[in-house]
Amino acid sequence: MPTDTGTIETLANKEYEWGFVTDIDADALPKGLNEDIIREISRRKDEPEFLLDFRLKAYRHWLTMVPPQWANIKYPPIDFQDIIYYSAPKSKKKLASLDEVDPELLRTYAKLGVPLAEQKLLANVAVDAVFDSVSVATTFKAKLAEMGVIFGSFSEAVKTHPDLVRKYLGSVVPYSDNFYATLNSAVFSDGSFCFVPKGVRCPMELSTYFRINAKETGQFERTLIIAEEGAYVSYLEGCTAPMRDENQLHAAVVELVALDNAQIKYSTVQNWYPGDKQGKGGIYNFVTKRGKCLGQNSRISWTQVETGSAITWKYPSVILQGDNSIGEFYSVALANNYQQADTGTKMIHIGKNTRSTIVSKGISAGHGQNTYRGLVKVLKGAADARNYTQCDSLLLGDQCGAHTFPYIEMKNTTSRAEHEASTSKIGEDQLFYCKQRGIALEDAVNMIINGFCKEVFKELPMEFAVEAQKLLGVSLEGSVG
Amino acid sequence: MPILEIKDLQAGIAGRQILRGVNLTIVPGEVHAIMGPNGSGKSTLAQVLAGRDTYVVTGGSVRLDGQDLLELSPEERACAGLFLAFQYPVEIPGVSTSYFLKAALNAVRKYHGQPELDAMDFLKLMKQKMKLLDMDPSFLSRAVNEGFSGGEKKRNEILQMAVLDPKLAILDETDSGLDIDALRIVAGGVNSLRGPDRGILLVTHYQRLLNYIVPDYVHVLRDGQIIKSGDKNLALELEARGYGWLEEPAAVH
Ligand SMILES: Nc1ncnc2c1ncn2[C@@H]1O[C@H](COP(=O)(O)OP(=O)(O)O)[C@@H](O)[C@H]1O
Ligand SMILES: [Mg+2]
C-alpha cells in the first residue's frame, strides 16, 4: 500500500503552514505542544474549567516524563513538537466513485465481505441517499435514551453530563499514569462516553451499528464507560475493515468503571495500517486501557484482536478492588512482516476472593515480533484471590519471534496463580494433513490459526468473531508456503 | 484402465535414495497389500504418492486413473481421488472434526464442479458414515485428533475415507496401535468401502490386518524395491518365516 506510506511521509514533512495568532479560525492548530495550544484546544471545544485544569496538570506533568523504554519494540524517536494536536473533523476529499479507490483496498474489502455501501463510506466515496446510516444511528440512540443509557461522543458528554465526566475522568487512569496516557490527558480530542444506570442491561452491543460512524478515529481518543450497580454493557471498538489513517502516532486512553454487580465487556478489533511488507509506514499504537472493578461481584472482560499497526503497545488491565470481582483478558495479537506487538495485561487483585483469567494467543509471521507482557499482582488484603494465565505462541516461518514476560507478585499466602505457556510452529505435518484432504494451503493456514485462536474468538460477539476470523486470514495472506 | 500405475519410481530425501525403482499396478476393485520390514520404504512410498514435498522424486512415473500424478499438488491429488490414511494422524487443536471434514468434502466437490453441501445434508452424510464405524456423534465436535486414543485416530481416518469416497485409498499401518475390537471395527469399515470402482493399497508390517481385510495381491518391499509379489498366501508365509528368507534385491545402478 504505497500511497499510504506516501501520505504519512508527506504529512510528517509538511511545512509549518499557518501562524498561530493570525489564523485561529483555521481548521488545524500549528504543530507542536505548549500551554497555549492546550488552552486553545479547550477553548475551541468550549470546555468547562475543570477539564482545562485536568489538561494543564497533565501537560505540566508530561514535561517531566520520558517515553517508556522497557517494551520490546524498536522505533525511531518521535518528535512530539512535530505533531498537530488539534484539527477539526476534516472533510476529506470525496471521491466520485469506487473506481477512484485504491484497488488493493477494494480487494481487501471484498475478501472481508464488506457490503458495497459500507465500502463506499469507508473509502470516503459519496453515497446515494438510499443508504442512510445516520437514521439507523438515531433510532438506536432514542431507544437507549429511553432506558437511561447515555451513549455518545466524549465532547457531547462534557456538555450534557459534565458532573459524570468530572467524577470519573482520570479515576482509573490518572493524568500522571504514564507518558502516553499523560500526553493523551493533555491533548485528547474526542472519543466515546457511555453510562449505563443502575439495574439496566444495555439491550444491544454498543457501536455495532455505529461502525461506519466511527471511521474518523482520532489520534488521541478518550473513552469512558461507567456501569452502575447491576448494569451490563457490551461495547465494541474498532472496525474489521481496514482504515486509512493519516496519523502515525495514536495514543488512546480507555477507562472502565464497574460498580456493585455490574459487568462490562469490551471487545476490540484493531486493524490499522501495519506498514508495507518492508516495514515502511504504519501506525504506532500506544494505548492505555484500564478497568476498575470498583464494586463487589463486578466483572470486566477485555477481548482484543490486534492485527494492525506497525507497533502495538497495549496492556488492557483490571483493578480488582471490589470483593469477589472478576477480571478477564482474552487476546489475539498478530505480528506479520515487520510489525511489532508488545501487549498483555495487568490484573491487580485488591479485594477478597477476586478472580482473573488471562488467555493470550500470539501469532508471529514474516519478521514479526510478538511479545506477551503480563503482571498478576495480588495485594496483602486479597485473600483467596485466584489467577489463571495461559499464553500460547504460534510461529509461521523462522524469521519471526515470540517472547513472553509473565510477572507474578504475590503478597498473600491464601492466593494462587497458575501459569501455562506454549510455543509451537505451524506444523508442516498439519499443513500436509489438510492438503491431503483437498484443502488448499491458504485455507489450511486459516483453519489452523482460527483453531489456535478459538478460545479468544468465542468471547467475541458472534458477528464480530466471524469478521475477526476473516481478518486474520487476510492479514496473513501469503505468509506461509 | 488401472487406477494406479507406478513405473520405476525412485525417490529419496536429502540426497539419500529410499525408493529404488518401484513398479506397481492397481486395477479398480483390487486390494493390494504392501508388506516389508521396518525402514524398507513403505511409508515413503505412501507419502510420495500423496505428494509430500520433503521427499524428492528422482525418476519414474505415476499415473492415477490415467492422469500424471507427479505433476499435481498434494491438494489436487486429493481432489483427483487419492486418499492417504496416515500412520500418525495429525492433531489440529481448536478445529472441530466436522468443520475439518466439511472443508475437505467441499474442496473436493468444488474441484469436480459440484455445489457445496449444506449443513443439513452434510450432517446426514456424516451420521450415516459414522454408524459404519461405530462412532459416537460427539466425535464431530471434538478437535481433529486432539486427545483421541490410538483407536479413535485410526477410525477417524477411515471415517474421512468413507466421506471423501476416493478412487484410490492408501492405508499406512492402519492396524498399528489397535486392540482386537478396534481392529475389527476398522477392518469392517474398510471392507464396506471395497468396491468395483475403488483401488485400495494397504501398507502394513504385520499379517494380522490381512486376516480381516483379505487382499487380492501381496507385495514385499525391501530396501525400496518390490522383491516379491503373490496372493494372500504370501502374507501367511511371511508371517511364518519372517522376511529373512527372501533373497537380497538385485543391485541398483
Ligand atoms: N523424513 C525422513 N528423514 C530422513 N530419513 C527418512 C525420512 N523418512 C524416511 N526416512 C528413512 O527412509 C527409510 C524408509 O523409511 P519408511 O518409509 O518410513 O519405512 P517403513 O514405513 O517401511 O518403515 C528409513 O531408513 C528411514 O529412516
Ligand atoms: Mg511406516
Side-chain angles (χ1 to χ4, degrees):
Chain A
M1 299 178 215
T3 45
D4 219 41
T5 317
T7 320
I8 289 165
E9 280 172 354
T10 320
L11 250 164
N13 298 331
K14 211 158 139 182
E15 290 293 310
Y16 179 90
E17 282 184 31
W18 296 294
F20 177 51
V21 187
T22 48
D23 270 328
I24 37 176
D25 285 334
D27 274 356
L29 293 180
K31 277 180 187 173
L33 196 51
N34 55 47
E35 286 202 10
D36 289 340
I37 294 265
I38 288 167
R39 284 177 203 282
E40 183 59 21
I41 291 172
S42 194
R43 191 189 66 82
R44 288 198 184 187
K45 296 175 77 70
D46 198 15
E47 286 176 352
E49 193 69 25
F50 82 87
L51 208 47
L52 175 61
D53 287 348
F54 180 83
R55 289 179 184 279
L56 287 173
K57 265 194 294 189
Y59 174 68
R60 287 167 195 155
H61 189 74
W62 183 75
L63 290 175
T64 69
M65 303 172 100
V66 289
Q69 298 297 331
W70 44 263
N72 188 24
I73 49 180
K74 293 189 186 73
Y75 58 96
I78 299 168
D79 181 356
F80 291 95
Q81 295 302 337
D82 195 38
I83 292 172
I84 295 170
Y85 288 90
Y86 180 87
S87 54
K90 275 174 279 195
S91 47
K92 286 194 222 158
K93 188 176 150 258
K94 285 267 182 206
L95 305 175
S97 79
L98 279 175
D99 298 340
E100 294 176 33
V101 178
D102 180 354
E104 195 181 339
L105 197 59
L106 291 181
R107 202 178 57 89
T108 313
Y109 288 155
K111 287 219 163 184
L112 288 168
V114 178
L116 208 63
E118 284 187 36
Q119 291 188 22
K120 289 184 176 176
L121 277 164
L122 289 164
N124 204 35
V125 172
V127 284
D128 42 80
V130 181
F131 187 82
D132 184 3
S133 67
V134 178
S135 67
V136 178
T138 314
T139 319
F140 273 102
K141 275 200 169 173
K143 189 159 175 214
L144 288 173
E146 222 169 83
M147 306 186 76
V149 176
I150 303 161
F151 177 51
S153 77
F154 197 95
S155 310
E156 205 176 298
V158 168
K159 299 235 155 53
T160 56
H161 300 86
D163 295 346
L164 282 176
V165 173
R166 184 174 197 162
K167 181 169 175 191
Y168 289 107
L169 177 70
S171 71
V172 186
V173 180
Y175 70 85
S176 56
D177 194 79
N178 70 71
F179 185 84
Y180 292 107
T182 302
L183 177 62
N184 173 291
S185 300
V187 303
F188 69 91
S189 38
D190 209 339
S192 303
F193 177 87
C194 174
F195 175 86
V196 186
K198 204 169 167 171
V200 171
R201 207 186 147 82
C202 192
M204 65 197 78
E205 314 271 0
L206 285 187
S207 112
T208 315
Y209 291 91
F210 302 90
R211 168 166 115 161
I212 296 156
N213 295 18
K215 71 182 161 135
E216 294 288 339
T217 31
Q219 193 171 8
F220 300 100
E221 277 188 283
R222 185 104 197 173
T223 297
L224 179 55
I225 298 175
I226 302 134
E228 278 198 329
E229 291 83 352
Y232 167 88
V233 61
S234 167
Y235 184 88
L236 312 183
E237 174 203 273
C239 176
T240 50
M243 283 187 289
R244 294 304 173 89
D245 190 308
E246 297 177 346
N247 301 310
Q248 184 154 26
L249 173 67
H250 279 243
V253 171
V254 177
E255 297 180 276
L256 313 181
V257 182
L259 305 187
D260 287 356
N261 303 304
Q263 186 182 351
I264 302 176
K265 259 179 92 76
Y266 192 104
S267 313
T268 308
V269 171
Q270 186 265 113
N271 184 28
W272 284 328
Y273 183 54
D276 67 11
K277 293 201 163 57
Q278 281 68 49
K280 262 188 113 187
I283 306 284
Y284 297 172
N285 191 21
F286 301 103
V287 194
T288 304
K289 289 185 165 173
R290 196 173 303 152
K292 196 187 252 180
C293 284
L294 196 57
Q296 293 187 12
N297 308 313
S298 55
R299 179 175 191 156
I300 289 179
S301 318
W302 297 102
T303 306
Q304 60 173 25
V305 177
E306 303 282 322
T307 68
S309 297
I311 296 177
T312 299
W313 178 99
K314 180 179 173 189
Y315 316 90
S317 305
V318 184
I319 299 168
L320 296 148
Q321 188 168 323
D323 291 348
N324 311 314
S325 58
I326 297 173
E328 293 166 309
F329 174 72
Y330 301 96
S331 169
V332 167
L334 168 79
N336 194 5
N337 296 321
Y338 284 86
Q339 280 176 282
Q340 309 172 64
D342 192 307
T343 182
T345 184
K346 288 183 205 166
M347 294 290 174
I348 315 294
H349 293 256
I350 300 171
K352 291 186 189 60
N353 201 33
T354 44
R355 303 263 179 274
S356 63
T357 302
I358 299 170
V359 177
S360 159
K361 304 279 181 175
I363 303 162
S364 315
H367 292 81
Q369 294 296 325
N370 213 325
T371 300
Y372 168 80
R373 190 182 301 278
L375 170 66
V376 176
K377 190 170 184 167
V378 178
L379 300 187
K380 222 177 165 87
D384 296 314
R386 294 282 180 274
N387 163 263
Y388 171 75
T389 299
Q390 183 192 332
C391 279
D392 298 319
S393 308
L394 187 66
L395 303 174
L396 284 76
D398 41 24
Q399 311 260 280
C400 52
H403 318 270
T404 31
F405 300 103
Y407 304 98
I408 299 175
E409 284 176 33
M410 282 281 190
K411 300 252 164 65
N412 180 294
T413 49
T414 60
S415 299
R416 299 274 171 276
E418 248 184 277
H419 181 87
E420 285 178 29
S422 76
T423 300
S424 49
K425 274 198 157 192
I426 197 159
E428 176 60 33
D429 285 356
Q430 289 175 324
L431 290 174
F432 183 65
Y433 191 67
C434 295
K435 287 194 278 186
Q436 209 304 302
R437 298 303 184 247
I439 300 166
L441 178 69
E442 206 167 278
D443 297 335
V445 171
N446 281 348
M447 187 153 82
I448 293 166
I449 289 190
N450 284 325
F452 175 75
C453 300
K454 189 176 183 182
E455 288 149 286
V456 175
F457 285 163
K458 75 176 172 28
E459 296 297 323
L460 288 171
M462 181 67 173
E463 204 186 287
F464 229 36
V466 172
E467 292 179 6
Q469 286 190 21
K470 285 195 211 158
L471 177 61
L472 267 190
V474 172
S475 309
L476 277 169
E477 218 171 69
S479 45
V480 172
Chain B
M1 185 169 36
I3 194 79
L4 182 70
E5 197 173 21
I6 305 175
K7 283 191 180 152
D8 194 28
L9 181 63
Q10 302 175 32
I13 194 162
R16 186 181 149 205
Q17 195 165 17
I18 301 171
L19 300 182
R20 301 162 187 273
V22 173
N23 292 288
L24 179 67
T25 299
I26 299 179
V27 167
E30 290 177 351
V31 174
H32 289 236
I34 289 201
M35 302 184 70
N38 273 332
S40 57
K42 302 184 298 293
S43 290
T44 301
L45 176 63
Q47 300 265 328
V48 165
L49 292 176
R52 181 110 198 196
D53 64 6
T54 35
Y55 298 93
V56 186
V57 175
T58 50
S61 67
V62 182
R63 296 198 162 267
L64 178 76
D65 209 13
Q67 194 176 5
D68 183 353
L69 187 74
L70 299 179
E71 245 183 11
L72 304 180
S73 68
E75 54 270 38
E76 286 168 334
R77 295 178 196 202
C79 291
L82 183 144
F83 180 90
L84 171 63
F86 284 63
Q87 181 170 2
Y88 304 107
V90 180
E91 299 185 3
I92 310 179
V95 177
S96 73
T97 300
S98 72
Y99 185 90
F100 177 76
L101 253 178
K102 195 166 171 224
L105 180 61
N106 281 331
V108 173
R109 290 177 66 92
K110 195 172 157 196
Y111 182 85
H112 294 288
Q114 296 165 323
E116 291 198 353
L117 222 53
D118 69 27
M120 290 298 280
D121 290 339
F122 176 73
L123 208 64
K124 230 194 292 175
L125 179 72
M126 292 298 286
K127 283 203 172 133
Q128 180 200 331
K129 301 295 182 189
M130 286 172 85
K131 221 181 256 167
L132 213 71
L133 288 151
D134 197 22
M135 288 165 87
D136 192 87
S138 67
F139 221 77
L140 284 179
S141 52
R142 292 168 65 186
V144 180
N145 293 322
E146 197 184 29
F148 284 23
S149 70
E152 284 175 327
K153 282 186 182 170
K154 295 301 168 81
R155 261 190 273 181
N156 190 18
E157 293 295 288
I158 305 306
L159 172 69
Q160 295 180 42
M161 171 180 163
V163 171
L164 296 176
D165 193 22
K167 287 183 199 157
L168 176 75
I170 304 168
L171 280 60
D172 192 0
E173 307 277 3
T174 294
D175 51 330
S176 68
L178 295 187
D179 63 29
I180 198 74
D181 292 328
L183 181 62
R184 262 202 203 102
I185 293 168
V186 167
V190 175
N191 281 327
S192 72
L193 295 169
R194 287 177 90 145
D197 300 326
R198 191 177 346 260
I200 296 180
L201 182 59
L202 297 172
V203 171
T204 182
H205 181 64
Y206 298 107
Q207 189 269 339
R208 188 175 72 145
L209 176 72
L210 306 184
N211 290 331
Y212 296 91
I213 308 171
V214 181
D216 301 303
Y217 298 93
V218 173
H219 311 276
V220 179
L221 189 72
R222 183 173 175 142
D223 290 336
Q225 280 188 319
I226 289 178
I227 54 163
K228 200 166 179 62
S229 298
D231 63 9
K232 63 181 186 215
N233 293 316
L234 177 57
L236 294 170
E237 205 172 346
L238 289 169
E239 171 88 341
R241 301 176 62 185
Y243 292 103
W245 60 279
L246 295 165
E247 74 264 51
E248 292 295 312
V252 266
H253 310 287

